[in-house]
Amino acid sequence: MKVIEMRKTGEPEALTLTERAVPALSSPTGLLVRLKAAGINPVDTKLRARGVLVPDGLPAVLGCDGAGVVEAVGERVSRFKPGDPVWFCHGGLGGPEGNYAEYALVDEGIAQPKPRTLDFIHAAAAPLVLITAWEALYDHADLAEGKRVLIHAGAGGVGHVAIQLARLAGARVCTTVSNPRKAELVRALGAKCVINYQEEDLVAAVMDWTGGKGVDMALDTVGPAVFAQTVPAMAYRGNLVTILQPGPDQDWKEVRGRNLRISFEWMLAPMLREQPAARAHQGEILRRCAQWIDSGELRIQVSETFPLKQVAVAHNRIEAGHTEGKLVLTME
């Protein structure tokens, strides 16, 4: 099978197309999946540049998100049979092999039936961002009907699904974008207030939208500078969730003064730390999201696809920033 190997850290060109044997089933609850597509996430580019998260994890196959067709099943598998379409988030951190490949092994407890209305490209784009947004909004922040939420980078991978999940909870959504084209996209997804951060002051715009109260919850998907800018836009006792580190220079005085709840969301932690209950919960998230996708209430935005051999081009594209939705590798 064709596979993309990461043999050392470095630039995108460090990713090498090579041939390997198709992996053999070794677990009685395992699935051998013939992959049709693999999602590309910013974590992939960080692992490539800085190193994988498992000691002695090289050579590695990156790619946490996958979608494909079950080719073979272990003797104790009860939920799937050969020919079933599945989607999942598994591997790609330097331990279990990821999905930049034509085949992958995944346990039946982690895979979920692919939404029937999604093609494999859009299914492969979705798991990591759906789980991240769900856990940030629902698990960390207890987002509820009528709450006002600020979602940064609303046209991005996590952002565009977070807008929709917040809307489905009955929340009112404010989001940030960098240009009018992205503003049009996020309004179509349900954002009620759109702030072009290139032209507007974030705090002033949020306070104008909330009548001076600030937002009840915010999701930072960008990093330290945006985290710091968001604090004064928060309501008293608000929830500020970040998927990144705030940075060593963060001034916590205003955070304390507003009695904010700060939460960190990293959906890959249950895989890295082997937390089966948390992984089962993530599977339930995908099952619930599949229902919304199939009912037309939740959509996945894919901006570009690349054949497997062009993975370096895809990594360069995502590192350049300002993509809309997701980038995806295809196996065919």
Side-chain angles (χ1 to χ4, degrees), residues 33-297:
V33 178
R34 184 180 181 94
L35 291 162
K36 300 289 188 178
I40 305 171
N41 293 288
V43 67
D44 301 350
T45 66
K46 294 172 184 177
L47 294 175
R48 188 212 72 237
R50 304 173 191 173
V52 294
L53 300 179
V54 177
D56 302 318
L58 295 180
V61 178
L62 300 178
C64 304
D65 283 334
V69 176
V70 175
E71 188 101 339
V73 301
E75 59 188 19
R76 287 171 48 196
V77 169
S78 60
R79 297 176 58 231
F80 298 101
K81 63 184 185 303
D84 286 346
V86 293
W87 63 337
F88 54 87
C89 183
H90 180 67
L93 305 181
E97 302 286 32
N99 300 299
Y100 289 7
E102 291 184 317
Y103 288 87
L105 294 175
V106 61
D107 191 84
E108 72 161 336
I110 294 167
Q112 293 294 321
K114 181 182 72 67
R116 65 178 186 277
T117 58
L118 275 191
D119 59 28
F120 287 103
I121 288 172
H122 287 78
L128 185 147
V129 296
L130 285 173
I131 295 168
T132 297
W134 181 294
E135 291 184 344
L137 295 172
Y138 296 169
D139 297 344
H140 288 291
D142 299 321
L143 193 64
E145 186 174 0
K147 298 292 186 180
R148 293 179 183 266
V149 56
L150 167 62
I151 295 168
H152 283 290
V158 172
H160 88 282
V161 295
I163 289 172
Q164 297 173 81
L165 291 179
R167 174 180 53 77
L168 286 164
R172 293 177 58 80
V173 180
C174 174
T175 192
T176 59
V177 297
S178 60
N179 60 55
R181 185 185 68 253
K182 292 182 179 181
E184 183 178 350
L185 170 63
V186 298
R187 286 193 181 96
L189 296 174
K192 298 299 183 183
C193 171
V194 181
I195 301 170
N196 185 331
Y197 66 84
Q198 304 271 29
E199 302 174 352
E200 302 175 72
D201 179 85
L202 173 69
V203 177
V206 167
M207 289 303 173
D208 181 63
W209 182 59
T210 61
K213 295 180 180 179
V215 291
D216 303 297
M217 183 263 168
L219 174 56
D220 164 36
T221 63
V222 182
V226 169
F227 182 93
Q229 292 165 9
T230 304
V231 171
M234 300 295 302
Y236 185 73
R237 292 196 182 277
N239 289 282
L240 174 49
V241 184
T242 181
I243 65 173
L244 299 162
Q245 295 188 48
D249 299 324
Q250 172 62 39
D251 181 358
W252 296 99
K253 183 177 180 179
E254 185 69 12
V255 174
R256 293 179 66 227
R258 291 173 182 266
N259 269 335
L260 299 184
R261 181 188 300 168
I262 305 299
S263 300
F264 296 90
E265 165 58 24
W266 191 40
M267 67 78 55
L268 295 173
M271 174 168 48
L272 192 64
R273 294 177 178 268
E274 298 182 0
Q275 298 290 316
R279 298 212 73 184
H281 173 61
Q282 292 181 341
E284 177 63 12
I285 290 171
L286 291 185
R287 189 189 69 80
R288 292 281 301 279
C289 287
Q291 293 175 342
W292 276 332
I293 289 169
D294 286 339
S295 66
E297 297 176 275

